[in-house]
Amino acid sequence: MSRLTQTADSVSAPVPVRELSVVSADGARIHVEVHGPEDAPAVVLAHGWTCNTRFWDAQVRDLAVDHRVVVYDQRGHGRSPEAGPGGYSTRALADDLEAVLRATLEPGRKAVLGGHSMGGMTLMAAAGRDAVREHGAAVLLCSTGSSRLTAESLVLPLRAGALRTRMTAAVLGARAPLGPVNAASKMIFKYATMGRGSAPERVDICARIVHACPRGARVAWGHVLAELDLEARLRELRLPTAVIAGTEDRLTPPVHARAVEAALPHSLGLTELAGMGHMTPVEAPEVVTAKLRELVAAYVTLEGAGSAAEAVGEEEVA
């Protein structure tokens, strides 16, 4: 039976070949898992708000057969403790990613970097960092945006304007517990985060992951997202970058993906997934995994390394 026809609780997590605790710039400890053969092409994946490493289970199971796959828990999520003195900020996101890259990739080793939602924002925030320049070969941004998250959100069925923006910000920072995962909560969760075409078992997987997020981290990161503005950082993301979005994404509607794709210095195009919502790596795992494989084949393997360097060099000269 496929893992995607079962609930998250009934399927064991992929077993990493190595686990480590990486220390970020402010002393925060970040839980990291490494999967797959050591000498295989590398992929590093950053999950989104209220998620954890298990969000990438489908990609890890497929890719780790012939790729080195690194996943980590964003600070305050999963097995990464609450924030250190640096707190919660886009700078902290960049610091944490940089620490993970330094700890898991040898000097000069290239990897495809993938991010979903806040994980995509992590890649934008870190675009100008030395570790990203050293280790990044190409990027996949899934269901994400660079700014105006509360203004463009469609979660609340209200007319666009100041009231909807304020109420959306309040929802992002709400301290109310999410409660148990049951039929009612999954119905609400699916409406807010997933598309009509999402299979029930995939809704269950995502709901269990999100409901497990510690309240403190959920609220703190919610405040960061409400004030997000990474447009300037996005323009520094000079790696070849592909974008994926669901047409029924209410949290980061396709308007964000289109704006991100238009602002990228080296865009590889936007793929819009009909009937899918915000949780694209779980809702459409085959598409996301195939895109990661495509980027690895073009920009990380020996066959694609030369052409990738030439493409980036030509873009920078232009």
Side-chain angles (χ1 to χ4, degrees):
M1 182 182 293
S2 165
R3 70 167 296 280
L4 288 172
T5 62
Q6 307 172 62
T7 67
D9 283 354
S10 67
V11 182
S12 59
V15 179
V17 297
R18 183 161 63 106
E19 295 182 316
L20 60 156
S21 182
V22 172
V23 180
S24 191
D26 67 339
R29 304 197 72 86
I30 307 301
H31 173 73
V32 183
E33 299 175 4
V34 183
H35 301 259
E38 176 148 7
D39 59 350
V43 176
V44 180
L45 301 174
H47 69 74
W49 180 51
T50 71
C51 294
N52 58 49
T53 58
R54 296 217 57 190
F55 188 80
W56 297 109
D57 275 6
Q59 285 70 43
V60 170
R61 290 183 187 282
D62 186 307
L63 292 172
V65 174
D66 52 0
H67 292 71
R68 191 67 159 180
V69 185
V70 177
V71 292
Y72 69 99
D73 286 324
Q74 302 271 22
R75 59 173 60 195
H77 293 73
R79 294 168 63 186
S80 291
E82 291 286 330
Y88 297 92
S89 65
T90 56
R91 179 173 182 173
L93 290 174
D95 287 343
D96 297 349
L97 173 63
E98 194 163 35
V100 170
L101 293 176
R102 295 289 190 208
T104 58
L105 300 175
E106 300 85 354
R109 184 174 184 178
K110 295 294 186 179
V112 166
L113 311 179
H116 167 257
S117 190
M118 192 174 79
M121 298 161 199
T122 299
L123 297 176
M124 297 178 209
R129 296 296 184 93
D130 289 342
V132 171
R133 295 179 184 276
E134 177 182 357
H135 295 292
V139 170
L140 178 60
L141 299 176
C142 299
S143 310
T144 193
S146 61
S147 65
R148 294 180 51 81
L149 299 187
T150 55
E152 301 289 357
S153 171
L154 302 176
V155 171
L156 298 179
L158 300 171
R159 187 192 303 271
L163 175 62
R164 191 182 73 179
T165 298
R166 287 197 304 271
M167 292 185 66
T168 301
V171 170
L172 289 178
R175 296 198 59 83
L178 297 183
V181 177
N182 54 32
S185 66
K186 284 192 285 188
M187 180 176 67
I188 296 170
F189 177 82
K190 181 179 180 180
Y191 166 80
T193 68
M194 303 180 79
R196 286 172 292 178
S198 299
E201 60 271 11
R202 297 181 181 181
V203 176
D204 185 83
I205 287 168
C206 286
R208 293 182 186 278
I209 289 171
V210 170
H211 279 239
C213 180
R215 189 191 311 184
R218 170 169 58 85
V219 172
W221 283 120
H223 288 305
V224 173
L225 297 180
E227 302 298 328
L228 188 81
D229 185 355
L230 290 171
E231 291 186 5
R233 297 296 185 193
L234 173 62
R235 290 190 288 272
E236 296 180 37
L237 188 57
R238 298 189 175 278
L239 298 172
T241 302
V243 183
I244 287 178
T247 61
E248 295 186 11
D249 186 344
R250 289 185 171 92
L251 281 174
T252 52
V255 63
H256 287 293
R258 295 166 194 150
V260 165
E261 194 274 335
L264 286 167
H266 190 170
S267 171
L268 298 175
L270 165 63
T271 301
E272 295 193 32
L273 304 179
M276 298 294 103
H278 185 66
M279 303 301 209
T280 45
V282 175
E283 293 180 84
E286 300 86 355
V287 176
V288 172
T289 302
K291 182 59 70 173
L292 289 166
R293 283 188 171 276
E294 178 185 317
L295 293 174
V296 168
Y299 297 101
V300 178
T301 59
L302 293 177
E303 290 80 2
S307 60
E310 291 171 7
V312 173
E314 289 172 2
E315 189 277 330
E316 288 181 345
V317 169

